[in-house]
Amino acid sequence: ESNVSYKQKLDQFVNAGYANILFNINEKFEINGGIRLEASNRVLKYRELNNELTTEFDDPYIKDEVKKNYFLPAINTKYKLNEKSNLRFAASQTITRPVLMELMPIQFVSNDGSVALGNKDLIDTKNLNADLKYEFFSDKKDMFTVGVYAKNIKDPIEKVFVASSSLLTTYQNSKVANLYGAEFEFIFNMANLSQSLENVSIGFNTSLMKTEVEISEKNELENNPTRELQGASNWVINADAKYEFKFSKEIKNTISFVYGVKGKNIYSVGTAD
């Protein structure tokens, strides 16, 4: 059965420009830095269920407008250790905007069969990112990388239970989240074992991560000041096998078998009876 909230309108417009400069300090060391400027305008028009002012299908829309400007710097550096290996460091500030179904104030059935309610009051998440990585490349297209990383996330968006219902979830900004971890990846070309397998390669990557979130006072269902980040696993493993072949000189094809697994994570914040 339809109700007045069945139809919503969202108009989001983002203008952006950036400047970038590359410094070759010497033959081994380079620095790539820049800044991105963003101006965004988001207009949401909706009819809210159980609102005395909007109880009919032809009532006027409620209008909610948010304007934001962002200055997002980034820097990437590379130090060439030798002909086959590099050391890289990167740091940046980025923005994560809520996706459509997190933002629209309507109830919908999500992929796992649960019912979720969008939250029109969500704000953009601001991220500070840094990572340090060592990478190695062989003559046979092998690759090996190992690195460490860290993130500071202000106003992370998390799935929470609605306080008045044990069956309904919604989305909410927490205060701040801190993440740090390590990652490992390699690609091994089977030509190292036999030249007849030169078109076959196997890959593997894994990430270990620790997270901590400071709780927002708005979430009445929380009973601890800190916890792990909702939806984030402490470990992730991915593996693949790849076969490359050509139909002709112009067309190159790849067949891949991919497997991935991750550790347990928090489905939703709060309690449900």
Side-chain angles (χ1 to χ4, degrees), residues 76-121:
N76 290 274
T77 66
K78 183 178 78 171
Y79 183 75
K80 187 175 181 181
L81 299 173
N82 51 52
E83 293 299 322
K84 295 183 178 181
S85 62
N86 303 310
L87 191 64
R88 294 182 180 270
F89 173 77
S92 63
Q93 183 173 5
T94 57
I95 296 297
T96 303
R97 293 181 173 87
V99 299
L100 182 65
M101 301 311 290
E102 293 174 340
L103 185 66
M104 303 291 275
I106 58 174
Q107 293 185 22
F108 63 95
V109 180
S110 58
N111 294 332
D112 60 7
S114 63
V115 180
L117 172 67
N119 180 4
K120 64 181 179 59
D121 296 320

Side-chain angles (χ1 to χ4, degrees), residues 194-207:
S194 172
Q195 194 61 35
S196 62
L197 298 175
E198 64 177 341
N199 294 330
V200 180
S201 64
I202 59 174
F204 174 88
N205 71 76
T206 184
S207 176

